[in-house]
Amino acid sequence: MLYHIPWINMPVRTAIAIWHQLTKYEIPDLAKSSVLMRDRSRVEETIQAMHRAGPSTLQVISDFDMTLTRFAHNGRRCPTTHNILDNSLILSEDCRNQMRQLLNTYYPIEIDAARTVKEKLPLMVEWWTKVHELLIQQKIRKDLLSQVVKESSAMLREGYKGFFDHLQEQHVPLLIFSAGVGDILEEVIRQNQVFHPNVHIMSNYMDFDDCGILQSFKGQLIHIFNKREGALLHTAHFLELRDRPNVLLLGDSLGDLTMADGVATQHIVTIGFLNDQVEERKESYINSYDIVVVKDETMDVPNAVLNYITTGK
Ligand code: C5P
Ligand code: MG
């Protein structure tokens, strides 16, 4: 027998199905077609547990290039912090060509789904080392970096301001952990007016001589597959945040998943942006990240998760 709800002229069963559909997701952005999850209910349970624990127990750890910055805009690729330098006229034409050739050789290896991390790792070290050597030869001037970034087409993802400002308002620390160039990264967020006091950066920083000329890179090289070692080197930072065992982690490479290895986590939710080679890499991303955001140039998903954790809305 089919019961009807007369005032909306709909069978009860249909009305219940619609009600379930509408109330199924606490966070509607997670129902977007660009969002993939291997275990939706576990993700929602973890986010709810993080909300109950409150913003004072939260820290956010994020990659930079192609995670906080856009991968593409109007059909054109956006630059990484390294590419901002590669494209800049402060480098000689010969150096720019060599950097571009290196990018064309090594970037396809970085995103190759058919190669293991073990195979890729020495090649990535080779790429970063060659590029840093080329940059050092160019005797780059520190005082020109701000102009280099101003003239670049670097873009943070749509919704970035809400993300950075909300974390600042909620006093949630944001660690940006990048294998890019720290000095350029800082300039990008400074020029976008979001370099708030709660932002901490671990990256490859340039070392300038007394005349402000690049002479080397400081400390141990960070590339996309040694973020774990980088995290473990900065135990003091994580120790300071030991009362914040809940982590929201954002990345675009599988190597980014190790960025929280220095934290004794209670709850962690990982969001991975899958920007390129989608079909080839989809399965590994779904198996590795809790939430996979496919070809979406906005911060909508991280912002929605963050808002739910901090405000329950
Ligand atoms: O900030 P993040 O850790 O993502 O920075 C690493 C990214 O920089 C890599 O994904 C890589 O593609 C890019 N890269 C580059 N040029 C280089 C070295 C790395 O664009 N010379
Ligand atoms: Mg990245």
Side-chain angles (χ1 to χ4, degrees), residues 63-68 110 178 224 227 251-253 256 275:
D63 169 56
F64 189 70
D65 293 304
M66 309 296 118
T67 295
L68 293 178
E110 175 188 343
S178 169
I224 49 160
K227 288 193 175 179
D252 77 296
S253 150
D256 295 331
N275 303 309

Side-chain angles (χ1 to χ4, degrees), residues 228-245:
R228 178 167 200 276
E229 288 87 320
L232 298 179
L233 271 178
H234 290 89
T235 42
H237 169 86
F238 293 116
L239 210 59
E240 254 179 59
L241 299 180
R242 62 179 172 272
D243 53 344
R244 294 179 177 271

Side-chain angles (χ1 to χ4, degrees), residues 91-109:
L91 305 189
S92 69
E93 197 183 332
D94 177 48
C95 176
R96 288 203 304 275
N97 287 338
Q98 288 190 57
M99 304 259 284
R100 234 164 272 149
Q101 270 173 26
L102 291 171
L103 181 69
N104 294 340
T105 308
Y106 290 101
Y107 177 68
I109 300 174

Side-chain angles (χ1 to χ4, degrees), residues 55-56 58 166-173 198 244:
S56 65
L58 178 69
H166 187 71
L167 289 175
Q168 156 77 352
E169 282 153 19
Q170 297 284 331
H171 308 290
V172 173
N198 63 322
R244 294 179 177 271

Side-chain angles (χ1 to χ4, degrees), residues 69-204:
T69 56
R70 287 179 194 244
F71 179 76
H73 181 58
N74 290 338
R76 294 192 59 165
R77 282 292 300 274
C78 291
T80 62
T81 50
H82 278 99
N83 303 151
I84 290 175
L85 288 166
D86 303 353
N87 300 334
S88 165
L89 294 177
I90 65 163
L91 305 189
S92 69
E93 197 183 332
D94 177 48
C95 176
R96 288 203 304 275
N97 287 338
Q98 288 190 57
M99 304 259 284
R100 234 164 272 149
Q101 270 173 26
L102 291 171
L103 181 69
N104 294 340
T105 308
Y106 290 101
Y107 177 68
I109 300 174
E110 175 188 343
I111 59 163
D112 187 351
R115 296 193 204 217
T116 64
V117 171
K118 201 170 163 208
E119 279 173 79
K120 292 180 189 185
L121 196 139
L123 298 166
M124 294 297 106
V125 174
E126 204 172 276
W127 182 19
W128 259 257
T129 308
K130 282 183 183 166
V131 163
H132 286 189
E133 275 165 11
L134 279 172
L135 289 174
I136 291 164
Q137 282 167 17
Q138 292 294 300
K139 304 201 178 308
I140 292 173
R141 276 170 47 190
K142 184 180 169 62
D143 62 341
L144 294 181
L145 294 183
S146 156
Q147 197 56 29
V148 166
V149 172
K150 258 185 213 127
E151 286 166 1
S152 76
S153 51
M155 279 180 98
L156 294 166
R157 280 180 194 270
E158 193 187 313
Y160 74 89
K161 196 151 170 40
F163 176 78
F164 280 88
D165 290 354
H166 187 71
L167 289 175
Q168 156 77 352
E169 282 153 19
Q170 297 284 331
H171 308 290
V172 173
L174 166 63
L175 170 65
I176 302 178
F177 198 159
S178 169
V181 181
D183 309 72
I184 301 288
L185 186 169
E186 281 196 9
E187 206 45 54
V188 173
I189 58 173
R190 191 175 296 121
Q191 289 182 17
N192 283 285
Q193 271 121 43
V194 289
F195 196 177
H196 301 318
N198 63 322
V199 176
H200 308 269
I201 299 165
M202 290 181 198
S203 188
N204 298 304

